[in-house]
Amino acid sequence: MLSVTPIPAFSDNYIWLLRQDTTPDVCVVDPGDAAPVIELLERESLSLSTVMITHHHPDHTGGLAELIKRYSPRVIGPDNEAIGGIDTPVTEGDEIRVMGRLFEVIAVPGHTLDHIAFFTPGIPPLLFGGDALFSAGCGRLFEGSPEQMHGSLQKLAALPDDTLIFAAHEYTEANLRFALAADPHNPDVVQAMQECQRARELERPTLPTSMAREKRINPFLRVADAGVRQAGSVHGSVDSDEATFTTLRAWKDNF
Ligand SMILES: [Zn+2]
């Protein structure tokens, strides 16, 4: 049985740990910092066999060198030489077996150009999406265009509704604050904010979220919604889904 747990890092990153109860070999996704990973592996007598990387930003890759030195794991990630240590570069459509599950690589450019996501069908399906799709939000556009990011999110939205989404940051509360403005007549957003604040008071992660939930509360997946368009129209063009996405992303950058 595969389980996924967060290792908190920095102020709001999650390094996701994948483990099976039958083996001490585990996988981590986006180890920006080696220290909390090593601490957990030592404490629970686990061994790091695989690392998955979604994109080149240091808060996702900073722990790689030390983890490689210590555990020599297989390192799967974008085909980007700037990320030192990747021995299994992957691109759109590639399939790789990790922790007994077959993962499909989905290219999701926008936040960065090298950004990929890892999806595995199953019960439930799992998505490790890095900084592409957050709960109630999406990544900032550091390298890609709004068109690219919109296309990437549309690809992810086509995944099954019961897909569990493991995003790399605890950004949900700030994202929901924006969602309340961008989707002001949506009762699901109000309820999500209440649930989020309760979880944060208890210092619990608001992740994973699910695709079904994101389709109800994430304004960046709801650009076709009349209420979102209406709210967005004050800030820019809402002439098409892509235009509405562009408007929302720019609005959120200055929110
Ligand atoms: Zn990033």
Side-chain angles (χ1 to χ4, degrees), residues 181-182 225-239 243-244 247-248 251:
D225 179 82
V228 173
R229 283 198 165 197
Q230 168 78 37
S233 65
V234 182
H235 298 268
S237 168
V238 293
D239 289 345
T244 306
T247 295
L248 288 187
W251 177 14

Side-chain angles (χ1 to χ4, degrees), residues 25 47-48 53 56 72 79 97 120 123 125 128 131 169 180 193 208 226 236 249:
D25 293 332
S47 176
L48 186 64
I53 299 287
H56 70 81
S72 307
D79 191 3
R97 191 162 280 282
T120 176
I123 305 169
F128 295 91
D131 290 353
H169 288 275
L180 287 169
M193 182 57 114
R249 190 55 260 179

Side-chain angles (χ1 to χ4, degrees), residues 55 57 59-60 111-112 131 142 169:
H55 67 294
H57 282 160
D59 63 318
H60 299 251
H111 175 70
T112 63
D131 290 353
F142 287 110
H169 288 275

